[in-house]
Amino acid sequence: MGKKKQVDDSIIPIDIAPSDPGYLRASRKKITKQEAQRLRSLKLTAPCFLDNIPCRARSKRRVTRKKSTSKLKNKLDSGSFECYLETLWSRLPADKRDLFTRLDCQWFAWYRKASYREKVLSWVKRKEIFSTKYVLVPIVCWGHWSLLIFCHFGESLQSKTRTPCILLLDSLQMSDPLRLEADIRRFMFDIYKAEGRPENKRMIYQVPLLVPKVPQQRNGKECGNFVLYFINLFVKSAPENFNINDYPYFMKNDWFNAEAVERFCERLHFGM
């Protein structure tokens, strides 16, 4: 019998995404004991862990609306999410889409891994995100979906009328959305640095990070659907100039209701 391989029990691998940036195959992220404990705690209240739900062409067979809609009620993996988002995006008004840049839903998770960080920053740079009013960053971390929105990043950080700020929309605020703040601010700083912008770290870290009290999901599987719905409504409703004095604008507890999300999921499954 050979020697048994020693395993560091302080590192616990979990599946965080169905692909990596190099080969589009299964990827595993290692986390510490502390993060694993937080993850187990989160799972009790938000079991939004990702399943493999392939996004495929519409079946030629007749499918009942109830059965087909149930697919969007299940947990969404990143492939399914991007497929649905592509459908949604193509149906949004062109003049509204022009105000936005959207990043792939995997990029933030990959950025958090040091080995992929430079690659992700090079991809973001190609997006020229400072040329649009808003940048949509769907996030999936610890198996939970939320939506990060960078507002007016091309403007001066001292602007009073077009206020650079960060919005974090989370349909499960009891899971503590601000646990990602350190990673978000580091991501923002590295983007500015990669672009050769003159702003220093102190200025960038003073940009407001706002978490509006948006409607909340009713179970542990709806977070991906809520993010798709956040994107849909925000793109349609966002002002051309986001002024922090008018925050939270339309993003309030009564922004929408459960029935509206239900109807949205039905339309999305049937191609809007």
Side-chain angles (χ1 to χ4, degrees):
M1 298 290 292
K3 262 190 175 180
K4 188 175 181 180
K5 186 176 179 181
Q6 295 292 323
V7 178
D8 182 358
D9 63 0
S10 69
I11 301 296
I12 303 173
I14 64 167
D15 287 326
I16 194 171
S19 60
D20 69 28
Y23 300 96
L24 296 179
R25 65 187 180 191
S27 171
R28 296 176 71 82
K29 173 178 171 57
K30 293 183 177 180
I31 63 173
T32 65
K33 272 186 174 180
Q34 184 179 7
E35 289 175 317
Q37 185 176 2
R38 179 187 295 177
L39 183 63
R40 284 191 291 270
S41 176
L42 176 62
K43 189 174 181 179
L44 294 176
T45 56
C48 314
F49 295 89
L50 309 181
D51 286 340
N52 184 21
I53 306 173
C55 187
R56 55 189 177 183
R58 191 183 307 172
S59 172
K60 292 182 180 179
R61 295 181 304 167
R62 185 172 180 175
V63 182
T64 65
R65 182 171 293 270
K66 182 176 180 181
K67 183 177 179 181
S68 61
T69 305
S70 67
K71 292 182 179 180
L72 267 172
K73 291 182 180 178
N74 290 326
K75 312 164 193 176
L76 295 181
D77 68 6
S78 58
S80 301
F81 181 92
E82 284 292 331
C83 187
Y84 285 123
L85 178 55
E86 194 64 40
T87 299
L88 166 64
W89 198 256
S90 68
R91 300 296 191 270
L92 290 169
D95 61 327
K96 289 291 188 178
R97 292 199 313 260
D98 290 344
L99 300 176
F100 290 79
T101 299
R102 59 187 177 99
L103 303 188
D104 187 286
C105 67
Q106 291 281 32
W107 287 5
F108 185 81
W110 289 335
Y111 166 82
R112 297 176 71 235
K113 301 179 72 171
S115 58
Y116 295 149
R117 191 162 296 158
E118 292 301 319
K119 191 69 174 175
V120 170
L121 290 171
S122 70
W123 293 338
V124 174
K125 189 171 183 178
R126 291 190 207 127
K127 286 282 189 176
E128 299 181 344
I129 67 173
F130 293 102
S131 64
T132 54
K133 303 283 186 181
Y134 302 98
V135 183
L136 301 173
V137 188
I139 289 177
V140 54
C141 287
W142 300 297
H144 177 62
W145 291 93
S146 55
L147 177 64
L148 182 67
I149 305 175
F150 293 144
C151 305
H152 293 312
F153 265 29
E155 303 294 334
S156 166
L157 296 184
Q158 283 81 36
S159 175
K160 301 298 182 184
T161 57
R162 298 178 179 178
T163 315
C165 64
I166 312 166
L167 302 175
L168 183 56
L169 277 56
D170 196 320
S171 61
L172 197 68
Q173 293 189 356
M174 64 187 296
S175 66
D176 184 19
L178 288 177
R179 72 195 185 280
L180 288 170
E181 181 174 7
D183 288 326
I184 290 170
R185 292 198 179 277
R186 189 181 303 114
F187 185 46
M188 179 184 174
F189 172 70
D190 282 346
I191 291 173
Y192 271 84
K193 186 178 177 182
E195 292 281 352
R197 300 271 298 196
E199 292 84 354
N200 59 45
K201 189 172 185 178
R202 181 186 61 81
M203 294 170 62
I204 292 173
Y205 273 65
Q206 288 178 348
V207 173
L209 174 56
L210 309 171
V211 184
K213 293 182 179 180
V214 296
Q216 300 292 281
Q217 65 193 73
R218 297 165 297 176
N219 61 46
K221 298 180 179 181
E222 296 179 317
C223 51
N225 302 331
F226 268 71
V227 168
L228 290 169
Y229 198 57
F230 288 152
I231 292 173
N232 179 57
L233 290 190
F234 191 90
V235 171
K236 290 179 177 179
S237 307
E240 185 172 348
N241 296 319
F242 193 96
N243 190 324
I244 200 169
N245 295 325
D246 297 323
Y247 169 83
Y249 287 94
F250 46 87
M251 297 171 291
K252 301 175 182 178
N253 280 330
D254 60 351
W255 185 16
F256 55 84
N257 54 40
E259 290 72 25
V261 178
E262 183 89 9
R263 292 193 300 271
F264 168 79
C265 288
E266 290 181 4
R267 295 198 310 273
L268 190 62
H269 179 80
F270 288 101
M272 302 298 282

